[in-house]
Amino acid sequence: MGNDAIVLQEIMSQPEVWAATRQRLVASRDPLQELLFSQCWDTILYAGSGSSHYLAVAAATLHQQLTGQRSRGVPSSEVALFPKSVYPDVLGAQVLLVAISRSGETSEALWAVDRQRRRGQAVLALTARPGSPLAEQADVAIVAAEADERGVPQTRAFSSLYLAAQYVSGLVADAPDLLDALAQLPAAGRSVLERHAGFLAQIAGGDWARVIFLGSGPYYGLACEGMLKLKEMALAWSEAYHFLEFRHGPISLVDERTLVVGLLSDRALEAERDVLAHVRKLGGRTLAIVERAEAGEGETYSISLDSALRRALTCPLVLLPLQLFAYHRAVSRGLDPDRPRHLEQAVVLAEAVGGP
Ligand code: F1P
């Protein structure tokens, strides 16, 4: 445990791993581009399970935002078991499945690929594991091998596969400036880790009864991932909502032992800050993740990214404080974040359980 925890090492290694992942993406540019422009896609369907599901949600939102192309992020199990609720009911609709799985062996991910194959349509895999079934079965696989993990909770695999999704969206959007700017993420990540790791350890040790994560646009999927990290590592009850949804019921939960973590956007900054002000007025505490320190003034706590990158690029940076918070929360509760209860690295089910 402590400084030797595998998950902490993996969290701290992210800047270097992002640099290596970016090199791999640049090297895969031609086959990727060929697949992405091989059809006039009706829908880009991002799918995964657990962390990879939340990554799919964030990536699909970013994809649609950057490209205008219809995109959805869904659990792999829904693709496999409820295809009618996922695929468009339009004759000849071309759907590209972007199947995401760190291990590349999660049952539902492979079931989703199987479902897609039965439609005779293409699969792009985002995985961290070379030689995995998912990598082998896809038409094109981005294998971020340096991002693979020994830890059970996903940290650097999530952020690195998100970087891969950013690259995919940047290619479709034909945005060379965005693709080039991905090279700045490692330095920006190092700066976030150096400046905020100690402070996050302090906040995470607070007397919190509940921690709630709020985010909109691509930050919603990240808010969900912050919630999942806290459950897995710290066995702590947590929730996630789209920012303004919080007023519509969940606000009843707020008391002085409630911490609301707000992933603030630029686009809706004032509306989102207003939600956090409401929380403080009711006696709750707020932790704002902001680009510039000024945007966090008035919050109980704030963490600034200071990346000077456009918002579409900052998602991997936003994950860093969420992961560190969960890690330190686990340590402060005397738990071993490397051994989440009841959880393995991948969920591999017997075929009889319900595959398509
Ligand atoms: C998906 C996943 C992880 C979770 C746990 C079980 O894995 O749900 O998100 O932390 O390890 O598996 P994968 O499909 O991305 O390998």
Side-chain angles (χ1 to χ4, degrees):
M1 221 159 73
N3 280 340
D4 298 318
I6 292 165
V7 71
L8 182 60
Q9 292 168 27
E10 290 173 346
I11 290 171
M12 300 308 278
S13 72
Q14 285 173 102
E16 284 62 45
V17 169
W18 295 345
T21 301
R22 191 181 150 272
Q23 293 300 326
R24 286 189 181 271
L25 289 163
V26 171
S28 310
R29 185 185 176 122
D30 288 350
L32 247 184
Q33 219 155 8
E34 204 176 305
L35 175 65
L36 292 169
F37 293 103
S38 62
Q39 294 280 348
C40 184
W41 303 108
D42 177 274
T43 303
I44 310 293
L45 190 58
Y46 286 84
S49 302
S51 285
S52 297
H53 166 222
Y54 295 138
L55 169 47
V57 169
T61 312
L62 180 78
H63 191 107
Q64 173 136 356
Q65 189 175 293
L66 286 178
T67 68
Q69 201 167 34
R70 186 179 6 230
S71 311
R72 286 188 70 185
V74 295
S76 297
S77 53
E78 298 287 294
V79 179
L81 304 177
F82 296 87
K84 281 197 165 176
S85 66
V86 169
Y87 286 102
D89 186 17
V90 177
L91 195 66
Q94 293 293 324
V95 175
L96 174 65
L97 176 69
V98 183
I100 307 173
S101 170
R102 166 180 66 178
S103 63
E105 56 173 325
T106 295
S107 296
E108 296 93 316
L110 300 176
W111 294 350
V113 169
D114 192 56
R115 174 67 64 188
Q116 174 80 351
R117 288 289 179 225
R118 286 199 249 157
R119 289 175 57 93
Q121 296 183 341
V123 178
L124 166 62
L126 306 183
T127 180
R129 200 149 302 164
S132 59
L134 180 63
E136 301 287 312
Q137 289 173 23
D139 293 277
V140 174
I142 302 296
V143 183
E146 292 80 3
D148 203 358
E149 293 172 312
R150 286 196 296 138
V152 174
Q154 288 196 32
T155 55
R156 71 185 186 193
F158 188 109
S159 60
S160 303
L161 296 180
Y162 189 85
L163 201 143
Q166 287 177 311
Y167 195 82
V168 166
S169 303
L171 281 179
V172 175
D174 191 19
D177 52 326
L178 188 140
L179 297 179
D180 289 346
L182 290 174
Q184 295 169 36
L185 277 173
R190 248 172 253 124
S191 154
V192 171
L193 291 171
E194 278 161 19
R195 285 180 297 122
H196 300 301
F199 183 50
L200 281 158
Q202 268 175 43
I203 308 171
D207 178 28
W208 310 118
R210 64 195 65 79
V211 182
I212 293 159
F213 296 85
L214 305 182
S216 283
Y219 285 177
Y220 172 66
L222 306 190
C224 293
E225 173 63 2
M227 162 188 75
L228 187 66
K229 291 288 81 83
L230 205 57
K231 287 178 180 161
E232 289 179 342
M233 286 195 236
L235 304 186
W237 186 252
S238 58
E239 299 189 0
Y241 298 96
H242 289 94
F243 230 109
L244 272 65
E245 281 299 294
F246 189 60
R247 286 204 186 90
H248 295 269
I251 199 153
S252 301
L253 293 169
V254 172
D255 63 15
E256 63 290 348
R257 292 180 65 215
T258 301
L259 178 66
V260 177
V261 182
L263 314 185
L264 290 166
S265 68
D266 282 343
R267 191 182 178 79
L269 183 65
E270 285 318 311
E272 292 170 353
R273 287 195 50 158
D274 201 47
V275 174
L276 297 182
H278 196 161
V279 168
R280 289 192 302 281
K281 213 162 140 198
L282 297 173
R285 310 280 187 266
T286 56
L287 165 60
I289 315 283
V290 293
E291 170 55 27
R292 286 173 308 279
E294 308 87 84
E297 278 166 18
E299 307 297 338
T300 319
Y301 313 105
S302 85
I303 296 280
S304 61
L305 304 177
D306 294 314
S307 69
L309 289 169
R310 59 191 272 198
R311 275 314 228 194
L313 287 171
T314 54
C315 285
L317 303 176
V318 168
L319 288 162
L320 301 174
L322 307 185
Q323 297 164 347
L324 281 171
F325 182 89
Y327 169 79
H328 288 295
R329 187 89 190 128
V331 172
S332 77
R333 301 191 66 206
L335 296 165
D336 181 352
D338 282 338
R339 289 194 182 73
R341 196 167 62 178
H342 314 318
L343 197 62
E344 303 287 329
Q345 248 224 357
V347 175
V348 179
L349 302 169
E351 215 144 294
V353 167

